[in-house]
mmCIF file of all heavy atoms in Angstrom:
data_model
loop_
_atom_site.group_PDB
_atom_site.id
_atom_site.type_symbol
_atom_site.label_atom_id
_atom_site.label_comp_id
_atom_site.label_asym_id
_atom_site.label_seq_id
_atom_site.Cartn_x
_atom_site.Cartn_y
_atom_site.Cartn_z
ATOM 1 N N CYS A 74 -6.833 3.059 13.162
ATOM 2 C CA CYS A 74 -7.391 4.003 14.140
ATOM 3 C C CYS A 74 -8.685 4.621 13.614
ATOM 4 O O CYS A 74 -9.700 4.635 14.300
ATOM 5 C CB CYS A 74 -6.373 5.093 14.449
ATOM 6 S SG CYS A 74 -5.655 5.855 12.986
ATOM 7 N N LEU A 75 -8.650 5.073 12.373
ATOM 8 C CA LEU A 75 -9.840 5.699 11.782
ATOM 9 C C LEU A 75 -11.004 4.702 11.739
ATOM 10 O O LEU A 75 -12.141 5.020 12.040
ATOM 11 C CB LEU A 75 -9.512 6.198 10.364
ATOM 12 C CG LEU A 75 -10.691 6.576 9.472
ATOM 13 C CD1 LEU A 75 -11.508 7.699 10.067
ATOM 14 C CD2 LEU A 75 -10.205 6.973 8.084
ATOM 15 N N THR A 76 -10.652 3.476 11.376
ATOM 16 C CA THR A 76 -11.670 2.443 11.268
ATOM 17 C C THR A 76 -12.384 2.196 12.597
ATOM 18 O O THR A 76 -13.573 1.946 12.633
ATOM 19 C CB THR A 76 -10.995 1.135 10.828
ATOM 20 O OG1 THR A 76 -10.346 1.386 9.598
ATOM 21 C CG2 THR A 76 -12.009 0.035 10.648
ATOM 22 N N ARG A 77 -11.623 2.274 13.684
ATOM 23 C CA ARG A 77 -12.193 1.913 14.973
ATOM 24 C C ARG A 77 -12.646 3.105 15.803
ATOM 25 O O ARG A 77 -13.285 2.933 16.833
ATOM 26 C CB ARG A 77 -11.171 1.091 15.767
ATOM 27 C CG ARG A 77 -10.922 -0.244 15.091
ATOM 28 C CD ARG A 77 -9.949 -1.105 15.825
ATOM 29 N NE ARG A 77 -9.687 -2.321 15.048
ATOM 30 C CZ ARG A 77 -8.722 -3.174 15.308
ATOM 31 N NH1 ARG A 77 -7.924 -2.977 16.348
ATOM 32 N NH2 ARG A 77 -8.553 -4.238 14.568
ATOM 33 N N CYS A 78 -12.297 4.305 15.383
ATOM 34 C CA CYS A 78 -12.647 5.479 16.182
ATOM 35 C C CYS A 78 -14.153 5.704 16.177
ATOM 36 O O CYS A 78 -14.761 5.847 15.122
ATOM 37 C CB CYS A 78 -11.947 6.717 15.620
ATOM 38 S SG CYS A 78 -12.493 8.237 16.413
ATOM 39 N N PRO A 79 -14.773 5.753 17.359
ATOM 40 C CA PRO A 79 -16.223 5.958 17.415
ATOM 41 C C PRO A 79 -16.633 7.328 16.868
ATOM 42 O O PRO A 79 -17.777 7.516 16.452
ATOM 43 C CB PRO A 79 -16.556 5.833 18.897
ATOM 44 C CG PRO A 79 -15.267 5.888 19.631
ATOM 45 C CD PRO A 79 -14.173 5.562 18.670
ATOM 46 N N MET A 80 -15.696 8.274 16.850
ATOM 47 C CA MET A 80 -16.007 9.604 16.332
ATOM 48 C C MET A 80 -15.538 9.768 14.881
ATOM 49 O O MET A 80 -15.586 10.861 14.320
ATOM 50 C CB MET A 80 -15.344 10.680 17.203
ATOM 51 C CG MET A 80 -15.772 10.662 18.665
ATOM 52 S SD MET A 80 -17.563 10.789 18.858
ATOM 53 C CE MET A 80 -17.806 12.521 18.474
ATOM 54 N N GLU A 81 -15.061 8.695 14.309
ATOM 55 C CA GLU A 81 -14.566 8.702 12.915
ATOM 56 C C GLU A 81 -13.576 9.822 12.633
ATOM 57 O O GLU A 81 -13.656 10.512 11.619
ATOM 58 C CB GLU A 81 -15.735 8.748 11.936
ATOM 59 C CG GLU A 81 -16.578 7.491 11.981
ATOM 60 C CD GLU A 81 -17.797 7.548 11.085
ATOM 61 O OE1 GLU A 81 -17.794 8.306 10.099
ATOM 62 O OE2 GLU A 81 -18.763 6.834 11.391
ATOM 63 N N ILE A 82 -12.653 9.986 13.553
ATOM 64 C CA ILE A 82 -11.635 11.024 13.357
ATOM 65 C C ILE A 82 -10.523 10.470 12.458
ATOM 66 O O ILE A 82 -9.961 9.417 12.729
ATOM 67 C CB ILE A 82 -11.069 11.482 14.715
ATOM 68 C CG1 ILE A 82 -12.200 12.139 15.511
ATOM 69 C CG2 ILE A 82 -9.906 12.450 14.522
ATOM 70 C CD1 ILE A 82 -11.859 12.445 16.947
ATOM 71 N N ASP A 83 -10.247 11.200 11.395
ATOM 72 C CA ASP A 83 -9.292 10.722 10.387
ATOM 73 C C ASP A 83 -7.855 11.032 10.828
ATOM 74 O O ASP A 83 -7.212 11.962 10.334
ATOM 75 C CB ASP A 83 -9.616 11.379 9.041
ATOM 76 C CG ASP A 83 -8.905 10.701 7.871
ATOM 77 O OD1 ASP A 83 -7.917 9.971 8.112
ATOM 78 O OD2 ASP A 83 -9.322 10.918 6.721
ATOM 79 N N ILE A 84 -7.359 10.211 11.738
ATOM 80 C CA ILE A 84 -6.003 10.427 12.244
ATOM 81 C C ILE A 84 -4.945 10.285 11.139
ATOM 82 O O ILE A 84 -4.016 11.093 11.074
ATOM 83 C CB ILE A 84 -5.695 9.496 13.445
ATOM 84 C CG1 ILE A 84 -6.634 9.861 14.609
ATOM 85 C CG2 ILE A 84 -4.240 9.597 13.881
ATOM 86 C CD1 ILE A 84 -6.412 9.054 15.867
ATOM 87 N N PRO A 85 -5.058 9.293 10.246
ATOM 88 C CA PRO A 85 -4.049 9.212 9.178
ATOM 89 C C PRO A 85 -3.944 10.502 8.349
ATOM 90 O O PRO A 85 -2.849 10.924 7.989
ATOM 91 C CB PRO A 85 -4.537 8.042 8.316
ATOM 92 C CG PRO A 85 -5.448 7.262 9.183
ATOM 93 C CD PRO A 85 -5.992 8.174 10.233
ATOM 94 N N ARG A 86 -5.076 11.110 8.065
ATOM 95 C CA ARG A 86 -5.036 12.383 7.322
ATOM 96 C C ARG A 86 -4.335 13.459 8.160
ATOM 97 O O ARG A 86 -3.562 14.256 7.659
ATOM 98 C CB ARG A 86 -6.473 12.814 6.962
ATOM 99 C CG ARG A 86 -6.598 14.191 6.312
ATOM 100 C CD ARG A 86 -6.095 14.187 4.876
ATOM 101 N NE ARG A 86 -5.994 15.522 4.306
ATOM 102 C CZ ARG A 86 -4.874 16.248 4.311
ATOM 103 N NH1 ARG A 86 -3.767 15.770 4.853
ATOM 104 N NH2 ARG A 86 -4.846 17.439 3.755
ATOM 105 N N LEU A 87 -4.617 13.438 9.450
ATOM 106 C CA LEU A 87 -3.981 14.381 10.367
ATOM 107 C C LEU A 87 -2.462 14.172 10.383
ATOM 108 O O LEU A 87 -1.682 15.124 10.339
ATOM 109 C CB LEU A 87 -4.554 14.166 11.778
ATOM 110 C CG LEU A 87 -4.013 15.028 12.908
ATOM 111 C CD1 LEU A 87 -4.380 16.487 12.688
ATOM 112 C CD2 LEU A 87 -4.563 14.552 14.253
ATOM 113 N N MET A 88 -2.045 12.907 10.404
ATOM 114 C CA MET A 88 -0.615 12.590 10.391
ATOM 115 C C MET A 88 0.041 13.126 9.112
ATOM 116 O O MET A 88 1.134 13.682 9.150
ATOM 117 C CB MET A 88 -0.400 11.078 10.483
ATOM 118 C CG MET A 88 -0.868 10.452 11.779
ATOM 119 S SD MET A 88 0.267 10.838 13.132
ATOM 120 C CE MET A 88 -0.341 9.698 14.389
ATOM 121 N N ASP A 89 -0.642 12.938 7.970
ATOM 122 C CA ASP A 89 -0.114 13.468 6.707
ATOM 123 C C ASP A 89 0.124 14.968 6.836
ATOM 124 O O ASP A 89 1.166 15.486 6.443
ATOM 125 C CB ASP A 89 -1.100 13.231 5.544
ATOM 126 C CG ASP A 89 -1.058 11.796 5.021
ATOM 127 O OD1 ASP A 89 -0.123 11.054 5.383
ATOM 128 O OD2 ASP A 89 -1.966 11.427 4.249
#
Side-chain angles (χ1 to χ4, degrees):
Chain A
C74 49
L75 166 61
T76 302
R77 294 181 185 168
C78 172
M80 301 304 286
E81 294 176 25
I82 296 171
D83 194 342
I84 296 182
R86 174 73 190 94
L87 179 66
M88 295 286 192
D89 282 348

